Amino acid sequence: MAAELEIIDRSEEWGVFLKKKYKTDLNKLAREYPYTKSLTIGYDVLEGYGKTGTILADELLERPGKTLEDIRDAIRTGHLISRKDREGNDISEDIITGINIRFIHLPRKTQIRDIRAEHINKFVSVDGIIRRVTEVRPRLVIGAFRCPAGHFTYKAQDYGTYTEPDVCGNAECTQKKLELVQNRSTFIDSQKLRIQETPEGLRGGEQPQNIDIDIVDDICGIVSPGDRVIVNGILRSVQRITAGQKSTVFDLFVECNSIEISIKEFEEVNISEEDEETIKDMATDPGVYGKIARSIAPTIYGNDEVKEAIALQMFGGIAKEMPDGSSLRGDIHVLLVGDPGIAKSQLLRYVIKLAPRGIYTSGKSASSAGLTAAAVKDDLGDGRWTLEAGALVLADKGIAAVDEMDKMQKDDRSSLHEAMEQQSISVAKAGINATLRTRCSLLGAANPKLGRFDEFSNISEQVNMPPSLLSRFDLIFIMKDKPDAVRDLNIANHILKSHMAGEKIMHHKKHPIPGADDEYFKRELAPVMPEIDAVLLRKYLAYAKRNCFPMLTDDAKEILVQYYQNLRSVAIDSDKPVPVTARQLEALVRLAEASARVRLADEIDVDDAKRVVKIVDTCLKQVAYDPASGTIDIDRVATGITKSSRDMTRILRETIKILAEGAGSAKIDNVIDTMVSQHKYGKDEVEKLLDKLKRSGDIISPRNDTVKLL
Ligand code: ADP
Ligand code: MG
């Protein structure tokens, strides 16, 4: 093989190849330079170019630096690029040195975690998701230095370190004080990226690994955080410097040759024709809803409604782009609020394993980007600003599971509003001005502040999220851990069954159990095995999302509209303000679309509508049910104040106003007396409300025993 490699004149072979396959591109490049600066060669084209092609392709991988120079030589000697400027001067050489030769479509990818010393100085192709990008800034490549006598000395710059010539390059001159002349120097656009392994490539729970990418010239500024990319380039190493000392450890980065942005969101999931048949078959089964729901976290007992909702969430509604340029969100957001130890975190982790493009994170995550995005100054940028993607950006076109949402940072809480509804995040800071996309559905979990959920106080306070944010969730489930003899026994049995099966498997590995075969373990594991295995379900989801775009039928529409009207009219007889907002109607539509998608149906029928009405109703009853008045009151979610407590506030304010007439302020005792005797409120609740209003600054207490309105 080696001998064979020697025989070929590389440059000439490249010339023949380029003339045959890339003549048009080269001509275009000659014409359009410097607006077009790159010749992009398909590695697949090269590999397909007979035996020479294979050899050249191998050589590119092994000795990329030399190969790229060979190609440039081939272009030069073969006169593959020629152009004259207006005055008739030949500028071909300028173009040839100015262009970039880039390779794309490499068949074999190296995982970031598998990059080793053996790859150094080799051509590699890695895929990942962009975590950070720096600003695009010029970098000095060749410095022009002038000495006091006016002579110019040129010095090529190494990556990252600025070097000045010690002495003037002119033979007769001994001047030492040279200064950089910018407009005679050569600069190149440069940018750094940090890419991270894609979540799909990770085996459950592994921390994703990163690698830095160095890019220059015309491919700068084309990617944003959250993009899925394939980076092709040469793996380089730089010596690490710790505390001013050169270390023997080297850091790795990829000198980028080309970037490919992958656009198809579900291409990670391969569906064969056979799979397609199976999926279509499953979709006709009337019991498919239950099957899918039961396949989500089978080790968790019960929680059927939650699992059904999560199933719909994974299928998702339809994102719509309207002719006026606006778009309607199709992603369904679900929030699980509940007592500790009720398997919320377990559910979230399971969903991530199922859903294509799932990201799991905790609200109190350590990364500076948090849930959305952040602009930071750090080592990656060498003092430049870098833009880092948070969980929702990384989960673009997938699902983000955010645990412990009650503990998220303040910045996240405010940026989540935009991220959830508009599905984008705008960052404008320093030199960075970007809009990142967050087209993902959010599955959140939150623990109530005081440990347990208290149905009598408002949910917004308990989970530490403003009502405006809560209203962006299509469904909010309250998971309560109420002791219940039957249920507890069932859960206990279920948990123990899975532990016992697990113990047996582990035991069998070390000390084989006589007579235990695969069949035996299958039976043992049956209660905790998903009915549809995760790999197939994932394919099912991807297939439905790719191919199924159902439309609402009139009958189904009727049901949704009617339910919505019903909700709104609950309060018409009283003076109740609007109890349900249009957001609930949109949620209904999205869920109904998802429901039809489960069947791979083209139409959203009456059953879909009924199914989602039932789910939404269950949720609203838990979340918006006002125990004081016995009605559903979405204000509990949307404003954090229930109608009945709003009424009480109003009455209290009026009472204070009347009693304060003339005197300027009212005696607290009088206020409480009036509230109790005339309006039939309890003394405790009045005192509590007075306290609350004082704290919120709505009323003030000029003296210890008086109050007045502000
Ligand atoms: P949370 O996040 O709600 O505080 P976790 O998800 O950490 O709770 O769950 C605590 C443990 O309790 C987990 O090991 C989980 O498997 C178990 N568990 C709780 N509820 C159930 C259930 N219904 N079925 C099976 N296991 C459960
Ligand atoms: Mg938890």
Side-chain angles (χ1 to χ4, degrees):
M1 184 74 191
E4 205 174 358
L5 276 171
E6 300 308 324
I7 303 167
I8 314 171
D9 177 344
R10 302 282 178 281
S11 214
E12 196 179 319
E13 296 292 346
W14 276 112
V16 178
F17 167 73
L18 290 177
K19 232 182 266 171
K20 204 154 190 174
K21 299 280 181 187
Y22 286 93
K23 193 66 190 123
T24 342
D25 291 23
L26 285 161
N27 288 342
K28 184 161 169 262
L29 200 52
R31 259 193 333 272
E32 293 178 357
Y33 186 87
Y35 302 103
T36 311
K37 288 185 90 173
S38 292
L39 171 69
T40 308
I41 302 173
Y43 187 88
D44 46 345
V45 179
L46 180 61
E47 256 195 334
Y49 179 69
K51 204 166 160 197
T52 353
T54 331
I55 295 170
L56 294 178
D58 281 347
E59 174 134 307
L60 170 72
L61 299 185
E62 285 302 312
R63 281 186 283 177
K66 176 180 174 294
T67 305
L68 293 173
E69 278 320 303
D70 283 348
I71 298 172
R72 213 180 290 276
D73 275 349
I75 295 173
R76 190 175 288 123
T77 47
H79 302 287
L80 298 180
I81 283 181
S82 64
R83 190 168 114 191
K84 290 198 168 67
D85 68 4
R86 291 223 184 81
E87 283 95 53
N89 305 317
D90 189 350
I91 53 164
S92 312
E93 184 52 31
D94 291 349
I95 300 178
I96 293 168
T97 44
I99 60 167
N100 304 294
I101 294 144
R102 307 194 187 278
F103 281 91
I104 55 170
H105 298 158
L106 275 84
R108 282 169 297 277
K109 309 271 179 299
T110 309
Q111 293 297 314
I112 293 176
R113 63 178 55 232
D114 295 334
I115 292 179
R116 292 289 176 271
E118 62 179 283
H119 295 113
I120 292 174
N121 296 332
K122 303 279 159 67
F123 201 88
V124 291
S125 180
V126 287
D127 58 4
I129 180 163
I130 295 188
R131 181 83 211 225
R132 286 186 178 199
V133 303
T134 67
E135 301 169 278
V136 179
R137 285 290 177 268
R139 192 174 84 204
L140 185 65
V141 234
I142 299 170
F145 296 90
R146 186 174 51 204
C147 76
H151 305 124
F152 276 95
T153 309
Y154 293 89
K155 188 160 178 67
Q157 301 289 313
D158 276 342
Y159 174 79
T161 41
Y162 171 72
T163 42
E164 281 182 354
D166 297 331
V167 65
C168 179
N170 192 302
E172 278 106 68
C173 181
T174 51
Q175 293 283 357
K176 287 198 170 157
K177 287 217 168 90
L178 286 86
E179 61 172 342
L180 180 72
V181 181
Q182 291 198 13
N183 58 11
R184 289 257 198 137
S185 300
T186 317
F187 289 91
I188 195 162
D189 285 327
S190 75
Q191 188 180 29
K192 271 180 98 172
L193 315 175
R194 179 165 293 167
I195 64 170
Q196 164 180 319
E197 289 172 292
T198 50
E200 296 82 35
L202 298 175
R203 289 176 295 260
E206 278 174 334
Q207 263 321 97
Q209 301 199 359
N210 298 316
I211 191 154
D212 291 350
I213 313 289
D214 194 41
I215 56 181
V216 292
D217 213 12
D218 55 343
I219 52 173
C220 285
I222 60 169
V223 292
S224 334
D227 284 348
R228 306 249 164 171
V229 292
I230 298 168
V231 172
N232 308 306
I234 307 171
L235 188 73
R236 300 285 191 202
S237 55
V238 279
Q239 194 161 13
R240 193 179 282 179
I241 295 172
T242 29
Q245 279 276 310
K246 283 189 180 172
S247 152
T248 49
V249 179
F250 282 66
D251 281 321
L252 296 174
F253 70 94
V254 176
E255 185 184 300
C256 182
N257 177 264
S258 67
I259 301 185
E260 301 168 65
I261 303 177
S262 52
I263 29 176
K264 278 188 252 123
E265 52 263 37
F266 297 114
E267 71 190 343
E268 299 97 5
V269 184
N270 282 321
I271 302 172
S272 67
E273 266 173 43
E274 216 172 289
D275 294 332
E276 196 176 326
E277 283 308 308
T278 321
I279 290 167
K280 282 184 179 159
D281 229 36
M282 282 161 60
T284 56
D285 178 355
V288 65
Y289 292 92
K291 271 193 182 163
I292 293 176
R294 282 191 298 275
S295 300
I296 297 172
T299 50
I300 294 167
Y301 176 85
N303 292 310
D304 298 339
E305 328 81 67
V306 176
K307 289 184 183 181
E308 188 174 3
I310 291 178
L312 293 183
Q313 180 186 34
M314 289 197 293
F315 279 88
I318 294 163
K320 300 156 195 109
E321 274 159 34
M322 306 311 261
D324 67 353
S326 65
S327 57
L328 298 172
R329 144 166 88 94
D331 295 309
I332 297 167
H333 302 316
V334 178
L335 178 65
L336 311 177
V337 178
D339 301 340
I342 200 154
K344 297 183 300 294
S345 306
Q346 287 276 11
L347 263 173
L348 259 56
R349 288 198 177 269
Y350 201 92
V351 168
I352 293 318
K353 275 197 248 161
L354 280 182
R357 291 200 169 186
I359 299 256
Y360 176 91
T361 181
S362 168
K364 54 178 179 197
S365 81
S367 107
S368 55
L371 296 178
T372 53
V376 288
K377 260 190 175 160
D378 69 352
D379 57 319
L380 174 68
D382 305 314
R384 286 177 289 191
W385 285 94
T386 68
L387 181 58
E388 176 168 2
L392 266 69
V393 177
L394 297 178
D396 187 31
K397 301 238 169 167
I399 180 164
V402 184
D403 208 350
E404 320 263 335
M405 280 193 79
D406 47 309
K407 298 183 190 65
M408 68 186 163
Q409 292 150 18
K410 213 169 116 236
D411 291 353
D412 275 340
R413 208 170 297 140
S414 50
S415 53
L416 259 188
H417 285 89
E418 187 192 354
M420 286 176 74
E421 198 62 62
Q422 276 67 48
Q423 305 211 289
S424 64
I425 296 165
S426 325
V427 181
K429 194 168 179 185
I432 292 176
N433 208 328
T435 302
L436 305 178
R437 308 274 255 159
T438 55
R439 292 156 300 183
C440 65
S441 40
L442 176 64
L443 174 60
N447 292 306
K449 216 190 253 166
L450 301 170
R452 296 207 154 246
F453 190 76
D454 172 8
E455 48 198 299
F456 291 99
S457 59
N458 92 48
I459 162 170
S460 159
E461 264 172 32
Q462 294 194 60
V463 298
N464 198 16
M465 277 190 256
S468 50
L469 195 55
L470 285 178
S471 75
R472 282 165 167 79
F473 284 97
D474 299 76
L475 293 172
I476 300 177
F477 284 95
I478 310 284
M479 297 164 79
K480 281 198 221 88
D481 191 13
K482 278 200 188 134
D484 166 340
V486 181
R487 196 182 128 88
D488 289 350
L489 183 64
N490 285 339
I491 293 185
N493 276 333
H494 191 81
I495 293 181
L496 291 185
K497 249 185 237 159
S498 44
H499 279 256
M500 280 158 74
E503 286 164 2
K504 277 184 191 151
I505 293 175
M506 300 315 287
H507 186 89
H508 182 69
K509 272 191 189 154
K510 208 74 194 150
H511 312 286
I513 303 171
D517 52 6
D518 286 356
E519 271 306 307
Y520 170 78
F521 283 116
K522 224 172 168 180
R523 264 198 319 276
E524 284 289 307
L525 281 172
V528 289
M529 286 297 281
E531 286 179 46
I532 306 169
D533 79 88
V535 178
L536 182 60
L537 187 50
R538 218 175 141 104
K539 289 181 179 173
Y540 196 147
L541 288 170
Y543 183 84
K545 286 192 133 183
R546 250 184 240 169
N547 299 308
C548 181
F549 297 89
M551 291 166 294
L552 202 59
T553 58
D554 285 338
D555 292 344
K557 175 177 147 244
E558 201 51 43
I559 294 178
L560 298 184
V561 170
Q562 200 147 46
Y563 175 69
Y564 174 68
Q565 276 189 320
N566 260 345
L567 275 181
R568 297 209 23 127
S569 66
V570 166
I572 281 199
D573 44 343
S574 63
D575 61 335
K576 215 168 179 178
V578 185
V580 171
T581 69
R583 282 229 169 94
Q584 269 70 43
L585 183 59
E586 288 189 325
L588 282 165
V589 175
R590 280 190 283 269
L591 288 161
E593 286 163 356
S595 169
R597 267 186 167 172
V598 176
R599 287 179 292 114
L600 303 177
D602 283 332
E603 288 192 335
I604 299 163
D605 64 18
V606 176
D607 289 340
D608 293 318
K610 285 185 180 155
R611 177 172 298 112
V612 305
V613 163
K614 196 170 135 242
I615 296 175
V616 170
D617 206 51
T618 324
C619 272
L620 283 180
K621 281 215 173 98
Q622 288 179 334
V623 181
Y625 184 74
D626 179 8
S629 67
T631 53
I632 285 185
D633 184 353
I634 204 72
D635 288 355
R636 260 175 88 81
V637 185
T639 64
I641 309 172
T642 62
K643 174 65 175 45
S644 49
S645 78
R646 201 205 320 273
D647 281 351
M648 183 172 165
T649 312
R650 205 192 63 226
I651 294 171
L652 181 65
R653 289 178 67 99
E654 255 159 38
T655 309
I656 296 174
K657 196 169 146 202
I658 293 166
L659 291 175
E661 204 113 308
S665 61
K667 280 225 170 348
I668 290 182
D669 287 347
N670 289 348
V671 174
I672 295 176
D673 277 350
T674 315
M675 289 296 285
V676 173
S677 57
Q678 285 188 19
H679 301 291
K680 308 281 174 255
Y681 286 107
K683 186 162 180 265
D684 289 353
E685 37 174 353
V686 178
E687 280 173 347
K688 227 166 106 189
L689 184 58
L690 276 170
D691 255 4
K692 197 176 143 201
L693 292 179
K694 261 191 238 168
R695 259 184 284 126
S696 64
D698 286 319
I699 59 176
I700 52 169
S701 195
R703 287 213 321 265
N704 247 350
D705 57 345
T706 61
V707 284
K708 75 182 212 188
L709 296 179
L710 203 67

